[in-house]
Amino acid sequence: MKEYFKVDEWKIIEEGFDPNYNKIAESVFSLGNGRMGQRANFEEAYTGETLQGNYVAGVYYPDKTRVGWWKNGYPEYFAKVLNAANWIGIDVWIGDEQLDLAKCEVLSFRRELNMKEGYLQRNFRAKTASGKEVEVETIRFCSMVDDEAGVIKYTITPVNFDGEITITPFIDGDIVNKDSNYDEKFWDEVSKAIDTDNGYVQLRTKKTGFEVATAMKFTIEQNGKPLEIKSNPIQKEKYIAAEIKLQIKHGQSITLTKYAVNVSSQNYPAAELITRSADVLTIISAKGFDVLTAEQAAAWAEKWKHNDIIIEGDAAAQQGIRFNIFQLNQTYTGEDDRLNIGPKGFTGEKYGGSTYWDTEAYCVPFYLATAGKKVARNLLLYRYKQLGKAIDNAKLLGFKDGAALYPMVTMDGTECHNEWEITFEEIHRNGAIAFAIFNYVRYTGDEAYLSYYGLEVLIAISRFWAQRITWSAERQQYVMLGVTGPNEYENNVNNNWYTSTIATWCLKYTLEVIGKVKQASAAKYNDLVAKISFREEQECEKFADIISKMYFSHDDKLQIFLQQDGYLDKEQILVKDLPATERPLVQKWSWDRILRSVYIKQADVLQGLYFFEDNYDIDTIRRNYDFYEPRTVHESSLSPCVHAILAAKLGDIDRAYQFYLRTSRLDIDDYNNDTEDGCHITSMAGTWMSVVEGFGGMRVKYGLLSFNPLLPHQWQAFSFQVGFRGALLNVRVSGDGVSISNTSDKGITVKVYDQEALIEANTEILLNK
């Protein structure tokens, strides 16, 4: 764990510049608006260690899977979200010396992410080799209002000299991905142009043919007064720039305001991109920097109004949760059902930026409660629209009759994960897709979704499970062979308890939904039966038989569910007995050693107990928690949040707090030594769950919101806001009890500590345990 950034409730602050932390800082200070985003690279040149990153949502490349062998059903490519044209670039020369913090002496440095108003600010003072000193201030953001646009205000002031400064704003499309096979470049130039104060580069991706026009327009001021721009246009392959030479005296400031846009062929015909980019540039430059900044602040104020969490008395915990919520809001807005939430969002390239089961298991609850039904529904529709490809994926593995296996990793519904033990075996992901449908309907009450979309997905998933299990003559039960559970430090195991549990639950839920849809809309049900050739009697009978005869691994002596067959054959050395120098295991141990060990990467059995807690008594949950948590190394970002929620349920407030702090500050403090690759965006939704479902004890039961709060000793109070079926609630937990304000015009009945209470519209109640 590193404690590099200053603690502030509304800001992330880097005081002083340490090049060793630069790539971590680039991740943490990343910006986005749901449509585009970028790492916190410097505008001016930097020849030190850096990971360049600018990203446009939905644009990807099918990079050839680089392996020396092949298997039937193996994905042909790994989808990568591409590093797109660098629009933030502003080269600065002081006489004949380039401003480069890797070569200059950095006299002072401060970088600040203002999460309240949504912008990144950097101030520094640097001295060149010849002794010339400059002060620089930069402010930039990706607009939440004009989501194809960003803006930079770059001010430079000579401190101890008079002379020439050359400023060159540019767009550079000649970029690479860090993880490119054979250093391949993925963009071809379509066209480009540069004029006195504006220009563009239009690029096309190889293979996929996405086109993106990146355009800029800029103004220059001296001491606050506009200057007539006289620039020297520069063009190279995939690159345009405008060089501006200025004579300046010490103490005088030069400000370059750079407006930029990214427009994509996903949203407009390719032939119209140049015109569209010019139109957007005209709009945002006419507004000007001050208006754009005010709009940005207002947009973020509206977001915080609906999803802020306030923690009183613990600034580190407060900073952590706000950072997580901030990153979630700038990664996905829910406006486009073609988009989803990559594990790294707009903060890095790792995992290809593609969609995983993280969305359904962790992100859906956050967006359900903070962004409304439409946003969460769009996440479900994303999967519904890819059902045909999920069926195709299953066919490649030998399944038939409309069985669907959703991909472990995808951009468009096609499986593109390049590790066989994940692609073929981590099939529990299918269960997360089904659980998200259940979770959505449970929270919103939107049962019509089942008739129109949900049941079709559920039947296809259940058909997969019905074919994936094996009848064991020895046991006279169905077994689940050759799988990988959520704990990816085990591969190719038999009877992973979580996988078998969620598969059986899927079958039960599908049968339940069949009954509901038949009753609600017989016509729609009959249309679906015909569409998918559903043999109701035969297939439902098979589902029911599997449910009644599924084998679940269990140890009678310990009275715990076994993660998989043979788990207790492993040497049972607990995590606390591991030398700190040997962690994280994934960076210190061979894969063979990890697979033979008892250690768990993330919640596995406990993931099932979290999802299906109502099926188990508290003692069962406690026994399993106390057994598995000491064997868990939490080397997945998705692990601490589940443990925090379960610890809170068990009343273990101290462990719940420690896991909360770890999940909330995972990237800020670089717990897993991997933040330089990008932030863990999807697990950030788990941080929100740790507070709301963990300490807030929020659940939906029988159509009612229920709360069973706990207050960590380190906090004076905490509060959060949730929307539920038209009502907007502010829940505050303190030593005095629980107060709930209904700030909407709709009354709502809730349960607090098992006490039912009606909260009328625009009123507040106070309850004690």
Side-chain angles (χ1 to χ4, degrees):
M1 183 180 76
K2 305 173 180 69
E3 296 180 345
Y4 178 61
F5 301 110
K6 304 297 181 185
V7 173
D8 183 281
E9 294 187 351
W10 275 110
K11 299 174 181 177
I12 308 294
I13 300 170
E14 179 184 18
E15 193 75 63
F17 181 59
D18 185 340
N20 296 312
Y21 286 89
N22 186 51
K23 289 200 289 187
I24 294 172
E26 287 177 340
S27 297
V28 170
F29 290 109
S30 293
L31 296 171
N33 60 15
R35 187 71 65 186
M36 58 187 257
Q38 63 190 189
R39 290 171 60 81
N41 309 121
F42 297 159
E43 291 87 358
E44 70 279 352
Y46 182 69
T47 55
E49 280 288 310
T50 182
L51 175 59
Q52 187 73 42
N54 287 273
Y55 310 102
V56 178
V59 175
Y60 69 97
Y61 177 83
D63 201 11
K64 185 72 174 177
T65 299
R66 188 177 180 180
V67 294
W69 44 262
W70 208 260
K71 289 179 171 61
N72 288 334
Y74 201 80
E76 294 186 4
Y77 66 85
F78 182 67
K80 294 179 176 178
V81 168
L82 295 185
N83 190 2
N86 176 16
W87 63 266
I88 67 170
I90 302 171
D91 273 340
V92 178
W93 287 79
I94 302 164
D96 59 359
E97 296 174 289
Q98 188 174 34
L99 182 59
D100 178 349
L101 294 192
K103 297 177 180 178
C104 295
E105 181 183 353
V106 181
L107 302 175
S108 66
F109 183 96
R110 180 182 174 94
R111 182 160 34 179
E112 177 180 300
L113 180 66
N114 186 313
M115 299 180 289
K116 187 174 186 178
E117 298 181 358
Y119 65 84
L120 175 63
Q121 180 170 338
R122 184 167 58 105
N123 295 78
F124 66 87
R125 184 167 176 168
K127 181 164 67 174
T128 68
S130 68
K132 295 176 180 177
E133 295 182 20
V134 293
E135 290 183 345
V136 173
E137 177 180 89
T138 79
I139 300 173
R140 79 174 187 243
F141 55 88
C142 295
S143 173
M144 299 297 287
V145 176
D146 300 288
D147 65 3
E148 293 167 324
V151 63
I152 304 166
K153 187 175 185 179
Y154 193 97
T155 301
I156 183 167
T157 306
V159 175
N160 64 350
F161 69 94
D162 301 339
E164 183 179 77
I165 290 182
T166 304
I167 301 177
T168 308
F170 65 84
I171 295 171
D172 184 8
D174 192 25
I175 37 78
V176 297
N177 271 47
K178 176 186 176 183
D179 61 353
S180 302
N181 285 337
Y182 313 104
D183 296 323
E184 182 181 8
K185 293 184 178 181
F186 302 131
W187 294 93
D188 289 324
E189 181 181 303
V190 176
S191 64
K192 62 178 180 285
I194 180 67
D195 204 340
T196 304
D197 64 352
N198 66 87
Y200 75 88
V201 175
Q202 184 168 341
L203 304 174
R204 180 188 299 121
T205 60
K206 298 177 180 179
K207 295 186 181 179
T208 45
F210 294 108
E211 293 194 23
V212 176
T214 303
M216 69 173 182
K217 182 179 177 64
F218 57 89
T219 63
I220 292 184
E221 296 177 348
Q222 183 169 348
N223 288 337
K225 295 180 180 180
L227 289 181
E228 181 182 354
I229 296 175
K230 296 178 181 179
S231 66
N232 174 36
I234 301 171
Q235 294 192 50
K236 297 185 291 187
E237 183 183 4
K238 308 176 197 173
Y239 175 97
I240 56 102
E243 181 186 69
I244 306 142
K245 294 182 179 293
L246 299 165
Q247 293 296 323
I248 190 168
K249 296 183 180 297
H250 70 278
Q252 292 184 339
S253 296
I254 293 293
T255 298
L256 180 128
T257 302
K258 183 178 181 180
Y259 304 95
V261 301
N262 284 306
V263 294
S264 165
S265 60
Q266 278 200 306
N267 304 310
Y268 311 100
E272 297 177 10
L273 294 182
I274 297 170
T275 301
R276 176 58 186 168
S277 65
D279 291 343
V280 178
L281 275 177
T282 299
I283 292 169
I284 63 172
S285 61
K287 289 181 180 179
F289 182 83
D290 290 343
V291 170
L292 289 170
T293 303
E295 288 182 344
Q296 182 81 345
W300 274 104
E302 186 64 20
K303 286 188 176 294
W304 288 118
K305 177 181 174 182
H306 293 285
N307 55 37
D308 190 19
I309 289 178
I310 297 172
I311 296 172
E312 300 174 34
D314 188 342
Q318 177 69 85
Q319 182 186 46
I321 188 60
R322 282 192 173 132
F323 175 70
N324 284 251
I325 293 171
F326 177 80
Q327 290 290 354
L328 284 164
N329 277 315
Q330 63 175 9
T331 299
Y332 181 78
T333 62
E335 295 300 317
D336 189 337
D337 63 20
R338 299 169 300 172
L339 302 179
N340 208 285
I341 307 154
K344 295 293 182 185
F346 295 120
T347 72
E349 301 171 13
K350 195 174 180 182
Y351 304 118
S354 306
T355 304
Y356 286 64
W357 67 284
D358 309 18
T359 291
E360 284 74 25
Y362 299 90
C363 297
V364 165
F366 169 77
Y367 290 105
L368 273 173
T370 65
K373 185 168 77 172
K374 177 189 173 184
V375 173
R377 200 172 197 262
N378 277 347
L379 288 173
L380 269 61
L381 287 172
Y382 175 90
R383 294 293 195 176
Y384 174 77
K385 291 180 178 181
Q386 295 179 356
L387 177 59
K389 290 190 175 181
I391 291 172
D392 291 341
N393 291 337
K395 282 181 183 176
L396 288 173
L397 302 184
F399 296 90
K400 55 188 180 180
D401 298 331
L405 176 60
Y406 276 92
M408 185 69 184
V409 179
T410 193
M411 286 297 298
D412 67 351
T414 304
E415 176 65 78
C416 58
H417 198 283
N418 57 2
E419 295 172 314
W420 68 268
E421 68 275 14
I422 306 300
T423 304
F424 299 152
E425 296 193 340
E426 199 165 342
I427 54 177
H428 68 82
R429 61 195 188 246
N430 250 13
I433 309 298
F435 190 82
I437 295 171
F438 163 77
N439 214 5
Y440 168 80
V441 173
R442 174 174 63 175
Y443 199 90
T444 64
D446 180 16
E447 297 209 345
Y449 184 85
L450 298 172
S451 299
Y452 284 95
Y453 309 107
L455 180 56
E456 186 174 353
V457 173
L458 292 171
I459 289 175
I461 289 173
S462 292
R463 282 171 159 174
F464 171 83
W465 292 125
Q467 296 174 47
R468 183 58 172 78
I469 50 81
T470 301
W471 175 253
S472 168
E474 175 71 20
R475 294 185 186 275
Q476 288 294 293
Q477 288 179 290
Y478 292 102
V479 293
M480 188 78 73
L481 306 179
V483 299
T484 297
N487 171 25
E488 293 172 341
Y489 287 176
E490 302 273 8
N491 299 151
N492 199 37
V493 301
N494 293 334
N495 299 308
N496 171 260
W497 181 84
Y498 172 75
T499 304
S500 298
T501 295
I502 202 162
T504 306
W505 173 85
C506 284
L507 296 170
K508 289 179 182 176
Y509 184 54
T510 300
L511 292 177
E512 177 188 328
V513 172
I514 286 171
K516 285 184 176 181
V517 173
K518 284 174 71 174
Q519 184 174 3
S521 179
K524 279 190 172 57
Y525 178 74
N526 291 334
D527 288 345
L528 178 61
V529 167
K531 176 183 177 182
I532 64 174
S533 301
F534 184 53
R535 305 178 304 281
E536 180 181 354
E537 183 176 352
Q538 179 183 342
E539 295 191 61
C540 288
E541 184 178 315
K542 176 70 171 178
F543 297 167
D545 191 53
I546 296 168
I547 293 165
S548 66
K549 298 175 183 174
M550 179 64 82
Y551 167 74
F552 300 97
S553 197
H554 183 272
D555 185 79
D556 294 335
K557 182 178 179 181
L558 295 173
Q559 294 189 335
I560 60 169
F561 304 120
L562 285 183
Q563 183 176 272
Q564 75 264 351
D565 290 352
Y567 181 78
L568 292 179
D569 293 336
K570 294 170 178 283
E571 190 176 12
Q572 300 291 316
I573 301 174
L574 303 184
V575 173
K576 68 180 178 62
D577 298 319
L578 268 178
T581 55
E582 297 193 21
R583 297 179 63 189
L585 301 184
V586 72
Q587 296 174 13
K588 302 296 179 66
W589 282 19
S590 70
W591 195 243
D592 167 72
R593 189 180 180 190
I594 289 174
L595 290 176
R596 288 186 287 107
S597 78
V598 75
Y599 301 118
I600 300 168
K601 180 183 179 185
Q602 69 189 78
D604 195 302
V605 168
L606 299 186
Q607 183 75 41
L609 294 178
Y610 162 65
F611 273 168
F612 307 117
E613 62 178 2
D614 291 340
N615 296 341
Y616 308 101
D617 61 49
I618 197 72
D619 290 334
T620 298
I621 296 173
R622 189 184 307 278
R623 282 194 304 273
N624 282 276
Y625 187 91
D626 289 343
F627 180 81
Y628 285 110
E629 193 285 317
R631 292 160 173 80
T632 303
V633 290
H634 304 290
E635 290 180 11
S636 165
S637 63
L638 301 172
S639 187
C641 62
V642 172
H643 287 80
I645 295 166
L646 289 177
K649 180 180 179 67
L650 295 170
D652 190 343
I653 194 69
D654 291 331
R655 274 204 290 189
Y657 176 78
Q658 290 304 318
F659 282 125
Y660 162 74
L661 211 59
R662 178 167 182 156
T663 188
S664 69
R665 300 189 63 83
L666 184 77
D667 292 309
I668 299 173
D669 293 335
D670 194 24
Y671 269 86
N672 289 349
N673 294 319
D674 61 358
T675 301
E676 66 178 35
D677 297 324
C679 295
H680 299 80
I681 301 300
T682 48
S683 73
M684 291 177 174
T687 304
W688 178 90
M689 289 159 55
S690 298
V691 176
V692 175
E693 297 184 13
F695 301 126
M698 188 180 87
R699 304 290 190 273
V700 179
K701 296 186 176 182
Y702 306 106
L704 296 181
L705 269 188
S706 171
F707 301 94
N708 191 32
L710 291 171
L711 182 65
H713 310 305
Q714 296 84 350
W715 299 356
Q716 298 167 6
F718 70 98
S719 62
F720 57 90
Q721 300 181 81
V722 292
F724 184 75
R725 302 189 184 184
L728 183 62
L729 304 180
N730 181 287
V731 181
R732 186 175 187 273
V733 181
S734 69
D736 297 328
V738 181
S739 63
I740 304 179
S741 301
N742 181 359
T743 59
S744 66
D745 295 327
K746 179 181 179 182
I748 183 173
T749 298
V750 300
K751 276 192 171 183
V752 182
Y753 300 125
D754 291 326
Q755 304 174 49
E756 207 166 283
L758 171 64
I759 313 175
E760 299 285 0
N762 300 299
T763 62
E764 180 179 357
I765 63 167
L766 176 63
L767 296 168
N768 295 307
K769 188 169 184 179

